[in-house]
Structure formats: C-alpha cells, structure tokens
Amino acid sequence: DFCCEFRCLETALCNFTTEAEEAKLLLKSLEARNLLESMGGISPAGKTHWAIGASRVFLKQEPVNILRAERARIRHASATRLQAAQRSHAAMMAFLRVRHGVVQLQALVRGAAARGEAWRHRRERAATLLEAGMRLFIARHRQKVMLKAVVAAQSWTRSLQPRQTFLHTKTLLQKLQRWWQSVRQRRRWRHLRQNMTRVQTTWRGFQDRKRVFAIRVAAFQLRRALRVLLRIRKRNL
C-alpha cells in the first residue's frame, strides 16, 4: 500500500521482486530523504520515524503528513501538466480545425479568383479576337476601296490616248460627213430645176392618165347603158 500510495515521489524506479525492496528504495531515495530531512521527518542521529516490516512500512504521523503533502503537490503539478496538455491538445485541435477551415476558405477564394482571372482572360481573348477581326475587316474594306480607286485610275489613264484618238477620228468623220452632205446638197441644188420638171411631168402625166381612165370608164358605162336600152326596145317592138 505504501508503494502504491507514495510511488509518485520516486522519479526512477525499476521492477523489483518484492514490495519491501521497492519501499526501501523509495525511502532511501535522495528526493524522499531530502524531503524528510528538510521538513524534520528524519533526524541526523538515525531512522527513528519509520521502519520497514515484512509486508508493511511503519511511519509516524509527521512524516506521513509530509509525504502526503508532497504527493498532493506532485499530483497537483501533474494534474496541471495534464490539464495544460489537454488544453494544448484541444487548442491544437481547434487551431487545426480553424486552419483547415481557413485553408478551405483560402482555396475557395483562390479558386474564385482563379475562375475570375480565367473569365477575364477569356473575355480579353475574345475582345482581342473581335478587335483583330474588326481590324481585318476594316483593312480588307480599305484594300477593296484602294483597289477600286487604283483600277479606276488605271482605266482613266489607259483611256486617255484612245479617247483622244477617238475624238480626233470623230472630228475627222464629222468633217467628212459635212463635206459629203454639202456635196450632195450642191448636187441637189444643181439638178433642182430638172428634178422639179420631172416631178411636174410625172404629176401631170398621172393626172392625165387618171382623167383618160375616167373618160374610158364613162364611155364604157354609156355604151353598156345604150345596149341595155336597145335590148329593151327590141323586146317592146
């Protein structure tokens, strides 16, 4: 019982075969001896306050009180260390939980930031593509306009000499036409009297032929009427 009750006073005990040897070692240890001597439990003359029997250890009240007080102090220190360890473990676990939550929160925030950065990168890339497409469209439109202008300028430049040649040829043709028309007009005025005489002769001949034809038709109708009258007279006779 002594060893079980005051075992905490010894810092280094080995496994012994008997409890008596363990009790002797406990009492002879430096810590217990110094404790008893400092508190008055052991006199310098000898061991008068404790004795070891076959199965029990005999102590007076004063050393027992001293040992119990030291045991209470050691137990209190050990309980304090246990509480500190438990609180440290609880604080560590709470810190780990908080750190895990903070890490998850950081991961969420960093993920959201990364997704936002990726979204902004996609938008910037889309804007760059749109800008490149618009610039390409404007450049192609300018190229088409410039090509049309160059083609028009080339056509105008190439048409200058043929146009001058055409205008010169047209002027010559107009001169030729005017000369020919004047020739024909002079010829027409030259033969105008003969032509008018021919026209008059033709018209008078047409009129004469028309009158002769009318006279012939009237003579034919008259002869026919006379024949009819003669026939009627013959019948009546």
Side-chain angles (χ1 to χ4, degrees):
D1 295 335
F2 178 78
C3 293
C4 292
E5 187 175 357
F6 298 105
R7 187 183 180 89
C8 61
L9 298 177
E10 180 62 31
T11 58
L13 292 177
C14 299
N15 293 326
F16 292 96
T17 56
T18 59
E19 294 181 357
E21 294 178 356
E22 186 176 357
K24 288 180 181 180
L25 182 62
L26 180 61
L27 291 174
K28 290 179 181 180
S29 63
L30 292 175
E31 292 181 2
R33 184 180 295 274
N34 292 332
L35 180 63
L36 293 175
E37 287 179 355
S38 61
M39 299 299 295
I42 299 177
S43 61
K47 302 176 182 179
T48 57
H49 293 83
W50 58 275
I52 299 174
S55 60
R56 291 183 179 275
V57 176
F58 301 96
L59 290 172
K60 290 186 177 181
Q61 188 64 35
E62 187 176 356
V64 171
N65 294 333
I66 295 172
L67 291 175
R68 287 178 178 176
E70 184 63 18
R71 182 187 65 184
R73 186 187 66 80
I74 292 175
R75 284 182 177 179
H76 184 268
S78 299
T80 303
R81 286 195 298 271
L82 286 174
Q83 287 179 354
Q86 179 63 28
R87 291 172 182 173
S88 175
H89 177 71
M92 182 62 68
M93 294 302 295
F95 169 74
L96 290 177
R97 287 192 296 270
V98 172
R99 189 180 68 175
H100 181 68
V102 171
V103 169
Q104 287 184 348
L105 182 61
Q106 287 180 351
L108 291 175
V109 173
R110 289 174 182 174
R115 287 189 293 273
E117 185 67 24
W119 180 70
R120 286 190 294 271
H121 180 69
R122 286 196 297 270
R123 289 195 63 183
E124 290 177 358
R125 185 177 180 183
T128 304
L129 291 176
L130 288 175
E131 187 177 1
M134 184 57 65
R135 288 179 179 176
L136 179 62
F137 175 76
I138 294 173
R140 286 181 178 176
H141 180 69
R142 289 179 180 175
Q143 183 181 5
K144 288 181 180 179
V145 173
M146 290 178 65
L147 183 62
K148 288 182 180 179
V150 170
V151 171
Q154 287 180 353
S155 301
W156 179 77
T157 305
R158 291 173 182 175
S159 65
L160 286 178
Q161 186 175 359
R163 184 177 297 174
Q164 292 177 358
T165 305
F166 171 74
L167 293 175
H168 182 66
T169 306
K170 183 179 179 181
T171 304
L172 294 177
L173 289 174
Q174 288 177 354
K175 288 181 180 180
L176 183 61
Q177 286 178 355
R178 285 195 297 270
W179 174 78
W180 175 249
Q181 289 176 0
S182 64
V183 169
R184 291 183 64 184
Q185 190 174 3
R186 284 195 301 271
R187 285 181 181 179
R188 195 178 297 115
W189 282 105
R190 188 182 300 167
H191 300 286
L192 180 61
R193 186 174 181 179
Q194 296 178 1
N195 294 331
M196 290 180 68
T197 304
R198 288 176 183 177
V199 170
Q200 287 177 358
T201 303
T202 304
W203 175 253
R204 290 172 182 174
F206 172 73
Q207 292 292 332
D208 293 338
R209 286 192 298 270
K210 188 176 180 180
R211 282 195 297 270
V212 170
F213 180 76
I215 292 169
R216 287 181 180 180
V217 171
F220 175 77
Q221 289 179 355
L222 183 60
R223 286 194 299 270
R224 186 175 179 181
L226 289 173
R227 289 192 192 103
V228 172
L229 290 173
L230 289 173
R231 289 174 185 173
I232 294 170
R233 186 178 181 184
K234 283 179 181 181
R235 278 196 216 116
N236 294 329
L237 293 175

